[in-house]
Amino acid sequence: NLNLTKAIISESQGNPVTTISGYQTTLALRSPVGQEETIAAFLKYAMSVAEQVDQNPQLRTAPEAQKLVAALVAEGNSLFAENRHIMSGLKDSYLAGALNIRAAISFADEEKPVVSNPEFLARGKAIYEEALVLSPTRVEFMKVLLEVAKIEKDTVATKKILDRLNALRPDVEWEQ
């Protein structure tokens, strides 16, 4: 799709207005073949913006940047919810959950990450927990939930997840 290509090119050029417009145009076409891929590309773009905002001290505190991230996450959540019926695997759940979790946690101080948006965090965790119901042995979801539990200082959840990980993969030494 030409519009998706334009969105990806403008993303690499650092032009968020053109990028978002390109994604909106592409998503409005509702392709029966490429819709899932377009949504995944949008989720990845939104996560990239959230990471860039968090890594830049000036953007991190700018209300416009925070609004942009919130709008991208909201759009990603809407697209994910409306199109779950066409998303055949867990890849899209991983991306949607990761977007919410990434937008919810600030890593400004790498030693002490903080939850900056509890609503996004709850949504990301819920998406990952739903994925684990469908595929209870997927350690990649558990690893992220383990890190979130540590950031939240939730010792009960940390122990529960570690026990589950150790039962599934006793050959791996999981970080305490």
Side-chain angles (χ1 to χ4, degrees):
N1 177 318
L2 183 59
N3 290 313
L4 180 58
T5 303
K6 287 179 183 178
I8 292 168
I9 290 170
S10 66
E11 179 182 345
S12 69
Q13 295 171 341
N15 187 338
V17 174
T18 306
T19 303
I20 293 167
S21 174
Y23 278 115
Q24 288 172 332
T25 301
T26 303
L27 289 162
L29 296 174
R30 308 210 49 87
S31 167
V33 177
Q35 192 75 358
E36 179 184 3
E37 292 84 1
T38 303
I39 293 167
F42 179 83
L43 294 172
K44 289 175 189 175
Y45 170 69
M47 191 171 345
S48 172
V49 171
E51 288 173 353
Q52 290 172 31
V53 167
D54 190 49
Q55 291 171 0
N56 183 318
Q58 291 173 328
L59 291 177
R60 190 180 312 119
T61 57
E64 304 83 27
Q66 295 303 317
K67 286 180 187 174
L68 174 62
V69 170
L72 290 171
V73 173
E75 180 66 17
N77 287 339
S78 177
L79 289 167
F80 180 69
E82 291 169 11
N83 292 282
R84 284 188 105 159
H85 64 284
I86 64 169
M87 298 177 176
S88 58
L90 294 175
K91 175 187 75 169
D92 299 301
S93 294
Y94 190 83
L95 289 172
L99 170 60
N100 279 274
I101 291 169
R102 183 62 187 98
I105 298 173
S106 173
F107 293 90
D109 178 353
E110 290 181 21
E111 298 298 316
K112 293 179 114 182
V114 295
V115 175
S116 56
N117 190 314
E119 181 184 333
F120 289 160
L121 185 62
R123 175 132 175 120
K125 287 169 52 176
I127 291 169
Y128 276 19
E129 288 164 1
E130 289 171 19
L132 284 170
V133 169
L134 296 173
S135 186
T137 60
R138 297 297 292 262
V139 296
E140 55 268 62
F141 291 99
M142 286 180 248
K143 284 172 49 177
V144 174
L145 290 173
L146 176 63
E147 293 306 314
V148 169
K150 289 177 186 178
I151 290 168
E152 293 182 306
K153 296 180 178 35
D154 184 341
T155 55
V156 173
T158 299
K159 182 178 179 347
K160 182 179 174 184
I161 296 166
L162 276 171
D163 288 348
R164 195 167 168 192
L165 284 166
N166 284 321
L168 289 170
R169 293 292 310 271
D171 58 313
V172 175
E173 220 172 284
W174 302 102
E175 291 184 36
Q176 297 291 329

